[in-house]
Amino acid sequence: DQQVKQNSPSLSVQEGRISILNCDYTNSMFDYFLWYKKYPAEGPTFLISISSIKDKNEDGRFTVFLNKSAKHLSLHIVPSQPGDSAVYFCAAKNFGNEKLTFGTGTRLTIIP
Amino acid sequence: ETGVTQSPTHLIKTRGQQVTLRCSSQSGHNTVSWYQQALGQGPQFIFQYYREEENGRGNFPPRFSGLQFPNYSSELNVNALELDDSALYLCASSSGGALYTDTQYFGPGTRLTVL
């Protein structure tokens, strides 16, 4: 039972354009969401998070949007840079629960 | 401030053997979580330790066990290894335990291959 889904295994975007990565979840108990970026041979690196009381959170070039009614979140990267090429994981948890539930990841490739 | 470290980097074992993986948490963190990442999948939660006590467990059999030490470093032990245990094992540290919505910071992982 995949409670967090990233339906696009890969995405290619030209440098300087917007990258939009999508994530859907099925568990309505999730109330905190995170995005991690992973380079080969490294562990996932935390990027940005959002709690269910918000619908948007920004940090520099990264913005996460949450649509609770659709159980959907997205990560926007503007402008996209070559160093953004990595695998991006969406993760979710319940407040006060230790467990992070991850999606299967989206490989983002930024084309120079 | 040092980040999360894991050892060894790579490990090759045969079916039926036992393995111990190690993790040193980030300075100031008292909580360690372990995840298994199979090829092409996202990380799957194994368990978490908070102040030396197991604080939650995912859907993994009892042959997966762990320890956390007074300095908050941690071990993951896997007995009776199976071929499907081949994966990247990730350790993540955080502060505050399960009562807080706290970011988990990951180490680079240990790649385990079971032959």
Side-chain angles (χ1 to χ4, degrees), chain A residues 34-37 45-49 59 62 75 77 88, chain B residues 103:
Chain A
L34 306 91
W35 284 94
Y36 283 84
K37 175 170 76 172
T45 302
F46 169 72
L47 272 178
I48 192 168
S49 62
D59 184 1
F62 302 92
L75 174 68
I77 307 173
Y88 287 77
Chain B
T103 301

Side-chain angles (χ1 to χ4, degrees), chain A residues 32 36 43 89 95-96 98 100 103, chain B residues 35 37 42 48 55 98 101 104 107:
Chain A
Y32 194 70
Y36 283 84
F89 290 99
F95 185 87
E98 66 292 344
L100 280 176
Chain B
Y35 292 82
Q37 187 180 10
Q48 184 186 78
N55 190 41
T101 300
Q104 296 183 14

Side-chain angles (χ1 to χ4, degrees), chain B:
Chain B
E1 183 183 275
T2 55
V4 179
T5 60
Q6 292 185 244
S7 63
T9 306
H10 296 91
L11 203 50
I12 299 175
K13 292 285 189 178
T14 56
R15 273 185 305 174
Q17 284 189 312
Q18 179 265 344
V19 69
T20 297
L21 310 181
R22 294 178 175 84
C23 171
S24 291
S25 58
Q26 188 166 309
S27 176
H29 287 179
N30 56 16
T31 303
V32 172
S33 304
W34 286 92
Y35 292 82
Q36 180 196 66
Q37 187 180 10
L39 204 60
Q41 301 296 315
Q44 299 286 316
F45 177 75
I46 302 174
F47 43 56
Q48 184 186 78
Y49 280 83
Y50 171 58
R51 293 185 174 175
E52 303 178 59
E53 298 287 331
E54 188 178 290
N55 190 41
R57 189 178 183 92
N59 190 24
F60 281 82
R63 59 189 185 85
F64 285 78
S65 63
L67 279 175
Q68 188 180 31
F69 300 100
N71 67 355
Y72 304 128
S73 65
S74 177
E75 285 182 357
L76 165 65
N77 299 290
V78 188
N79 293 322
L81 283 167
E82 301 176 359
L83 296 179
D84 285 348
D85 295 333
S86 294
L88 180 69
Y89 288 84
L90 294 162
C91 165
S93 76
S94 55
S95 58
L99 296 179
Y100 298 87
T101 300
D102 194 50
T103 301
Q104 296 183 14
Y105 294 89
F106 284 83
T110 293
R111 171 74 60 189
L112 173 64
T113 302
V114 182
L115 302 176

